[in-house]
Every structure is written in structure tokens, then in C-alpha cells.
Amino acid sequence: MIAVLGLAIGIAFGLLLQPEVPLWLQPYLPIAIVAALDAIFGGFRALIEGVFDDRVFVISFIGNVLVAALIVFLGDQLGVGAQLTTGVVVVLSIRIFANAAAIRRRLFHG
Amino acid sequence: MSLLRQIYDEALEPEYALARARSARPRRRGSTGAVWAVVLLLFGVAVATTWLDVRRSSPEALGARAQLVAQVGEQTRANDRLAATVDRQQAALAALQNRALAQTLEGAGLTRSVAALEQAAGLSSVSGPGLRVQLSDGPPAVTQPGGPDLARVLDQDIRQAVNGLFAAGAQAVAVNGQRVTSLTSVRSAGGAVLVDYRPLTPPYEIVAVGDPATMAARFAEGADAAGLRGLAAAYGIGFDVTSLDQVTVPAATGVTLRYARVKGEQR
């Protein structure tokens, strides 16, 4: 409940205040969002499976976002930003789908 | 495939299980909710910001275009308003001039010659019987890929019609309501035809005041009309001449006289 409230407040905050994204941050925000989504799905799966841990969740969230952004940044510097972005998105997507499948199994098939 | 397999199997970070095994402490429900709320709040802010950013940057061009179109429309309207003001003030000036001249005998003669000169110079509107020449784009005729559309009416076609009408004895000529004087240019810029620096849209309607019978015959016999007939036959450009009992050619707006002067001499 409080989590959904947090999400709603976050979206409302973003939409209403429209914080200015610094130009250097702009290329990394989309990939950071995918990384965050991965951490969130992972955390939710852990919650359902009863192994959730605050610290691991927060660390995986921050770590995922930072590493994803770092990889894209490195790729940009080396001229392979687009390819590395694709790689990161593929890996994160697989993880997201795997976690989503596990969550679905837990929720709907006992 | 072992790499993909590993990614799939370790989708749930193994740290969760490790942390669980290391400390058998019970889950703290209160802080868990708060942690989720904070994480999802950050996530929400990022998603909303990025969404706004993407939406803002892509249709930005469209917005700018709409803004420019609105500005063009606004400026055109402002221009028309100013032209109307100029017309009104010119009429008032003419009235004052006539009144001042009418007070002397010499002045009355001057009034007549001024009126005749104004008519010839395009400073007063002229009406009477006349001709209407209509030119319109034909069905698109592009002979080679990326080539020009040959069935479009060009500035030179309009110039031809205007010259032909003057040569046939027209007193006054206007293209789409723009009076053609000795200072008027008929030219094109970027595919648009400009008469007196105003862009016109097809179909083009050139009206001329003059005796319809003789003017129509002389125009039809002239080389200019022959050229236009050739274009109509070859490319399907619409070319149509009609006699009218009553046409009105408006006065030219903003005729400025320029005087030549010796270089270096004060005006």
C-alpha cells in the first residue's frame, strides 16, 4: 500500500515539478529506469518468496542503476554506446521476464 | 547458451538467499514498506521525468512549426491591417489635395492631370469592362524522378499574361488582387509566385480593364497568348480568357518613388 503510494507520489512529483534533467544525465536515465525496474521485480519476487532483505534490495537498486549507467557511459566514450545499451537492455530484460514469470507462478499457481 | 541460462537462473539475486542464510533475523515489516516507498518514489520520479523529457523533445519541432505558422498568419494579418490604414490615409490625403487644388482655376486643371497620372501609375483603383485571364496548375507532370513539375504555373507565365494584356491595350492590370504598376515585380521564390513581394496561391487570376472586344482580339493574336496556349497544350496548364462587363482593379499599395542621385551628393 505504502509502496503504491510512493510510486504515485513519485510520478506526481515528476509530472508536476518537471525537474530539469541535466544534459549529461539524459542519455543514462532511460537505461537507469530499466535497471531500476529489474531491481524492483527482483525485490518483489524476493518478497513473495519470503527471502526479502531491505539492505540487499536497496543495494541492488542503487548498484543496478549505477552499473547500467556506467556501462552506457563507458560505451559512449569508446564509441560502442548503442551496442552496449542493447546488451544491457537484453540482459536486464531477461532478468525482468524471469522474475515476472516467477512472480506469476507464485501468485497464480500457488 | 549457458550464459543466458545463468542470467535466467540468477534473475533473483543470490544475495537475497545469502542474506537470509547469514542472519536469521525476522523481517522488519515497518522499514520494508518505507524502503519500497522510497525506491518506488525515486523510480516514479525518474519515469515521469524521462517520459516528459522524451515527449518534450520529439514533438518540439512540431510545436515550433505550429508556432511559426501562427506567427506568419499573425504578421500577414498585421500587414493587411497596415495596408488598409495606408489606403485610408492615402484616400484622405487625396481628398485634401483635391480640395486644396479645387480652390483655384489652375488647380482644377491640375486635379484632372493628377487623376489621369494616378490612374496610369496605379495609385487609384480603376473599374470598367475588361478581361479576365485565369492560369491554373495542370495535373502534376513530373517527367523524371525528382525533376520539376512541368504543369505548374511559373512567374514567367504570369509575366507573359500581364505583358500580353498591357500590349493589348489594358489600362490597368491586377494579379490576384495585386495591382501591377511599373514598379511591380512578378517573380518566384522557393516555388511560390510573388507579385509585388506578396506570395500568391494558385489559381492565378489576372484581370485587366480595357475595351473587351479589341483587347481580347489583340491579346489572343499576341505572342504572349500564343506562348500560354502552347503551355496549355503541352503540359495541361489551365489557360482561360473571359470577357467581363465590369471589373475593378484595386489601387497599388505602398508605391514609393526612388530618385537617382549623383554618387556622393547630398540628397
Side-chain angles (χ1 to χ4, degrees):
Chain A
M1 193 59 223
I2 189 168
V4 174
L5 203 67
L7 181 65
I9 290 173
I11 290 176
F13 182 83
L15 288 182
L16 293 182
L17 294 187
Q18 310 201 347
E20 198 65 38
V21 186
L23 211 60
W24 55 266
L25 193 66
Q26 260 175 12
Y28 312 117
L29 216 47
I31 204 77
I33 285 175
V34 179
L37 203 60
D38 171 53
I40 287 168
F41 269 93
F44 191 60
R45 180 180 173 186
L47 199 64
I48 281 183
E49 294 185 353
V51 292
F52 185 77
D53 186 284
D54 296 348
R55 240 178 45 169
V56 174
F57 178 55
V58 170
I59 290 173
S60 81
F61 178 77
I62 296 172
N64 262 2
V65 168
L66 287 184
V67 168
L70 182 75
I71 289 175
V72 175
F73 169 76
L74 261 182
D76 275 347
Q77 300 306 308
L78 299 175
V80 287
Q83 291 90 323
L84 276 184
T85 305
T86 309
V88 169
V89 168
V90 166
V91 171
L92 290 179
S93 304
I94 292 174
R95 285 166 53 98
I96 290 172
F97 275 110
N99 284 334
I103 292 166
R104 197 189 56 225
R105 247 173 268 132
R106 280 272 163 172
L107 285 182
F108 297 110
H109 308 296
Chain B
M1 285 292 104
S2 70
L3 182 65
L4 289 180
R5 183 84 248 158
Q6 193 189 355
I7 293 172
Y8 197 88
D9 289 342
E10 289 187 3
L12 180 65
E13 264 134 51
E15 285 80 11
Y16 281 116
L18 287 177
R20 194 100 216 108
R22 210 169 31 238
S23 68
R25 70 197 152 93
R27 275 212 318 254
R28 293 167 296 166
R29 282 250 33 127
S31 77
T32 298
V35 163
W36 273 100
V38 170
V39 165
L40 283 177
L41 188 131
L42 287 174
F43 180 71
V45 171
V47 167
T49 310
T50 310
W51 179 65
L52 275 179
D53 211 53
V54 168
R55 215 183 47 140
R56 206 183 296 145
S57 58
S58 52
E60 184 81 329
L62 289 178
R65 190 180 173 278
Q67 222 169 12
L68 281 176
V69 168
Q71 270 179 17
V72 167
E74 202 177 306
Q75 294 297 332
T76 309
R77 275 194 297 281
N79 240 351
D80 289 346
R81 272 199 303 279
L82 287 174
T85 311
V86 167
D87 279 349
R88 262 201 315 279
Q89 293 187 340
Q90 269 178 350
L93 185 66
L96 286 173
Q97 187 179 310
N98 287 343
R99 206 187 307 158
L101 286 173
Q103 281 165 5
T104 62
L105 199 62
E106 196 189 355
L110 275 174
T111 308
R112 273 194 300 279
S113 61
V114 162
L117 287 172
E118 273 185 343
Q119 197 177 339
L123 288 174
S124 58
S125 69
V126 183
S127 37
L131 283 186
R132 183 178 63 203
V133 176
Q134 278 174 309
L135 292 174
S136 53
D137 293 344
V142 182
T143 46
Q144 63 205 44
D149 181 3
L150 297 173
R152 280 184 70 118
V153 176
L154 301 178
D155 53 339
Q156 61 196 55
D157 307 334
I158 292 170
R159 218 151 42 217
Q160 224 169 15
V162 170
N163 287 340
L165 285 167
F166 272 125
Q171 278 178 39
V173 175
V175 182
N176 282 18
Q178 294 291 316
R179 177 72 172 265
V180 179
T181 71
S182 53
L183 296 173
T184 306
S185 61
V186 180
R187 53 187 284 268
S188 66
V193 174
L194 307 182
V195 171
D196 205 11
Y197 301 106
R198 281 169 165 273
L200 305 185
T201 48
Y204 306 100
E205 194 178 87
I206 302 140
V207 294
V209 173
D211 179 17
T214 59
M215 196 164 67
R218 286 174 66 185
F219 179 66
E221 283 165 14
D224 299 303
L228 291 170
R229 274 196 300 273
L231 286 178
Y235 303 117
I237 284 174
F239 173 50
D240 201 31
V241 184
T242 345
S243 288
L244 296 171
D245 292 337
Q246 179 70 25
V247 292
T248 301
V249 172
T253 47
V255 172
T256 339
L257 293 178
R258 292 187 189 84
Y259 299 93
R261 60 196 167 89
V262 177
K263 194 182 171 192
E265 197 179 85
Q266 288 301 311
R267 201 188 285 210

